[in-house]
Amino acid sequence: MSVLKYTYFFMPRNSVTLRCPSNVKFLPTERRMFTYRRYINSSKQYSSLLCKNRLLSSIQPSPFNLTSRTSQKSFNFRISVCCTFRTSPPKNVHPVVWVVLRPALKLAAVVTGRGIKKWWRSLPKDKKLYFLNELKANRRKIGIALSLILLLSLGYYLSHLELTPITKRRRFMAFNSKQLEKINEFELEQCMENFSSQMLPPNHPAVRRVERVVKRILAANADIKEFEGKKFGISVINSTVENAFVIPLGHVFVFSGMLNLCTNDDQLGIILSHEIAHCIMNHGAENVSFVHLLDLISLVIIAAIWAVIPNDSVSLLSHWLYQKCVELFLELPYNRTIEVEADFVGLQLAARACFDVRESSAFWNKMAFLSKTFGNGPEIEFLSTHPSHETRSEYLDGIMEQALQLRVSCGCPKLSYRDPRIDVSTLNQALALSRKQFFEHNKKPENVFKV
């Protein structure tokens, strides 16, 4: 962009204050480089000066220091804008592209690795020797190229690090909530469509119970900025499934089986606080970003497995073992870390809402007992996306004092003494019944535990 404008001003001995005419506009985000020439009486050039990144404004004058000393005179300045640069938000690839390309890229890595292996086998010995000598002769250039790729990859990783809102944990985020908005909307539509026939009406007591608890959590934590822009909806699904979840857009889904497990509103509030914590911490986008990062790294390793290992059967087995190792030692531990963080943040949300946070460990102790008594077998934490019930109970007990102090600082009513131990007689009775019969026999949830 080139602009020619004229302005008059009084120039002191060592400096000049330049004020741009009102009809010359620059955006605040623009980076400017301009030159101006000073003329005396006639159009004879006196001197010129190159100025970078200076904001021209008709309101706020911009001072410039001159190296030459001149007498005080009135000058005519012609401003010539040489070039401007506008900054704009980065154009990010939509996550759907990566979701669609994910299996295709892995297949391409397999085909590429296998193709390299077949190509190498088909070469005569002299050709193989030639290429090996070339690699040896150019090992320095290859090393520099690999180092540059590594540095660029490291720069990509570091540029996408951020701190979590509440816990201030450093995490990798390739996708943000805006990028995933379409996927989240599609997820909400699918959930509403799948559960439409099972949803309880808004005036149902179970729906009112969930609504009361959710409103209590939201009202007590309204000052947390992560709640801004979230439109929380509530759906209760008439199903024996013992689950509850909150999609990233903020819609709360609770199955009636979970309502039966929650002895009181305090336990329900703690469970829903945990799920809402996932939502405001943007754990969904974080998990997708982490898997995306692992996939990018895996492409190189998968290609190397199929290129180096001579036998296809062994390559297939090695590929499977690699995927299992990634799942067991990277993906599952990362998911458990996210769950622990949601437990911590959820307990804080529940404490601010004046729920009895002691019910959290009581609930997971109950889940541990029911899992051992009526479950299909012992719970193996190492193979799960969630910590075991006993681990969660112990962790929550460890941070209980902090949550109780937060509850007191929020002006919540003082808690009365309760014995959180399990009623042994009720549990012995449960041993003789199936899980379904147990809940049918105990119509009132308070009969399950004495808390």
Side-chain angles (χ1 to χ4, degrees):
M1 185 176 81
S2 180
V3 180
L4 293 179
K5 296 296 175 184
Y6 297 90
T7 181
Y8 298 90
F9 53 86
F10 181 77
M11 188 182 73
R13 185 175 292 269
N14 290 326
S15 64
V16 61
T17 300
L18 183 62
R19 187 189 296 271
C20 184
S22 59
N23 58 346
V24 180
K25 303 294 184 182
F26 292 99
L27 296 177
T29 57
E30 289 183 0
R31 295 182 59 191
R32 284 153 294 279
M33 182 179 68
F34 64 90
T35 63
Y36 69 90
R37 294 179 175 87
R38 296 181 291 134
Y39 294 83
I40 304 177
N41 298 328
S42 65
S43 298
K44 183 179 179 181
Q45 181 176 326
Y46 185 78
S47 66
S48 64
L49 181 66
L50 179 66
C51 306
K52 296 181 180 179
N53 299 333
R54 303 298 294 270
L55 177 61
L56 292 180
S57 173
S58 59
I59 301 174
Q60 182 66 33
S62 302
F64 297 93
N65 293 325
L66 301 180
T67 55
S68 61
R69 299 177 62 88
T70 61
S71 60
Q72 295 184 3
K73 294 180 181 180
S74 179
F75 290 88
N76 179 2
F77 277 73
R78 185 174 68 180
I79 306 169
S80 176
V81 180
C82 296
C83 56
T84 61
F85 302 92
R86 294 185 180 181
T87 59
S88 59
K91 302 297 182 181
N92 297 313
V93 178
H94 199 279
V96 173
V97 177
W98 295 113
V99 173
V100 173
L101 288 180
R102 182 184 178 188
L105 290 175
K106 288 187 176 181
L107 179 61
V110 173
V111 173
T112 302
R114 196 168 183 273
I116 293 174
K117 179 171 58 179
K118 292 180 66 176
W119 169 79
W120 181 258
R121 283 179 176 178
S122 63
L123 289 177
K125 290 185 178 180
D126 57 335
K127 284 287 186 181
K128 291 181 180 180
L129 185 60
Y130 169 77
F131 281 116
L132 290 175
N133 291 333
E134 285 293 315
L135 289 174
K136 187 176 180 180
N138 296 280
R139 60 181 181 274
R140 186 173 181 178
K141 294 180 180 179
I142 296 173
I144 293 174
L146 293 177
S147 300
L148 288 175
I149 294 174
L150 183 61
L151 287 175
L152 290 174
S153 303
L154 182 61
Y156 170 76
Y157 175 78
L158 294 177
S159 64
H160 286 77
L161 290 179
E162 66 173 34
L163 296 177
T164 53
I166 298 175
T167 58
K168 303 304 177 184
R169 173 178 58 87
R170 194 173 294 276
R171 65 181 177 184
F172 174 81
M173 290 289 284
F175 310 114
N176 52 44
S177 56
K178 290 185 178 180
Q179 288 178 272
L180 295 169
E181 187 173 355
K182 293 295 182 182
I183 296 178
N184 296 333
E185 290 176 357
F186 177 76
E187 181 183 5
L188 176 59
E189 292 175 1
Q190 288 296 310
C191 289
M192 299 298 288
E193 182 179 348
N194 294 337
F195 301 127
S196 59
S197 61
Q198 299 174 277
M199 288 186 183
L200 297 176
N203 58 350
H204 194 278
V207 179
R208 292 180 177 177
R209 179 189 179 192
V210 175
E211 184 179 2
R212 182 176 64 251
V213 171
V214 171
K215 285 184 176 180
R216 185 173 166 183
I217 297 171
L218 299 181
N221 298 278
D223 59 326
I224 299 178
K225 66 177 183 178
E226 281 70 31
F227 281 95
E228 297 177 1
K230 301 285 186 183
K231 297 181 180 179
F232 284 88
I234 297 170
S235 297
V236 179
I237 303 165
N238 186 21
S239 172
T240 57
V241 176
E242 297 159 350
N243 192 18
F245 62 92
V246 180
I247 65 173
L249 290 179
H251 200 94
V252 181
F253 290 89
V254 183
F255 294 84
S256 56
M258 177 58 73
L259 295 179
N260 293 333
L261 278 178
C262 294
T263 304
N264 47 49
D265 284 354
D266 291 315
Q267 292 186 3
L268 179 60
I270 288 165
I271 295 300
L272 294 183
S273 295
H274 168 89
E275 299 301 332
I276 291 174
H278 279 306
C279 178
I280 65 172
M281 298 292 287
N282 209 9
H283 282 161
E286 178 181 353
N287 198 24
V288 172
S289 299
F290 182 72
V291 173
H292 166 70
L293 179 64
L294 290 181
D295 286 343
L296 292 179
I297 299 173
S298 296
L299 293 177
V300 180
I301 299 176
I302 291 173
I305 288 174
W306 284 90
V308 173
I309 299 177
N311 189 283
D312 286 347
S313 300
V314 180
S315 297
L316 182 62
L317 178 61
S318 301
H319 186 174
W320 180 83
L321 288 175
Y322 168 74
Q323 296 282 29
K324 283 299 177 183
C325 289
V326 169
E327 179 183 357
L328 291 176
F329 297 106
L330 293 176
E331 291 183 9
L332 293 181
Y334 196 82
N335 286 328
R336 291 194 291 269
T337 300
I338 289 177
E339 290 297 327
V340 171
E341 185 176 57
D343 280 339
F344 174 79
V345 176
L347 197 64
Q348 288 190 336
L349 299 180
R352 290 163 63 97
C354 297
F355 288 108
D356 188 351
V357 291
R358 298 173 299 179
E359 294 286 353
S360 59
S361 58
F363 176 83
W364 290 112
N365 279 328
K366 172 171 61 177
M367 290 297 294
F369 171 80
L370 294 175
S371 179
K372 289 179 180 178
T373 307
F374 304 107
N376 297 325
E379 186 180 13
I380 303 176
E381 181 176 331
F382 182 71
L383 302 176
S384 175
T385 57
H386 291 60
S388 65
H389 302 321
E390 293 88 349
T391 301
R392 299 180 86 161
S393 178
E394 292 174 2
Y395 173 74
L396 290 168
D397 280 334
I399 61 174
M400 190 62 61
E401 189 64 30
Q402 181 181 351
L404 290 172
Q405 291 177 1
L406 176 61
R407 190 181 184 279
V408 172
S409 66
C410 293
C412 299
K414 187 176 180 181
L415 293 172
S416 59
Y417 174 75
R418 288 183 181 181
D419 187 359
R421 293 176 299 178
I422 298 176
D423 188 344
V424 178
S425 62
T426 304
L427 294 183
N428 288 334
Q429 181 188 14
L431 291 173
L433 301 170
S434 68
R435 189 167 189 172
K436 182 177 180 181
Q437 291 172 332
F438 175 61
F439 285 112
E440 289 178 350
H441 180 77
N442 295 275
K443 295 296 182 182
K444 294 182 179 180
E446 303 87 54
N447 295 335
V448 181
F449 292 96
K450 183 179 180 181
V451 293

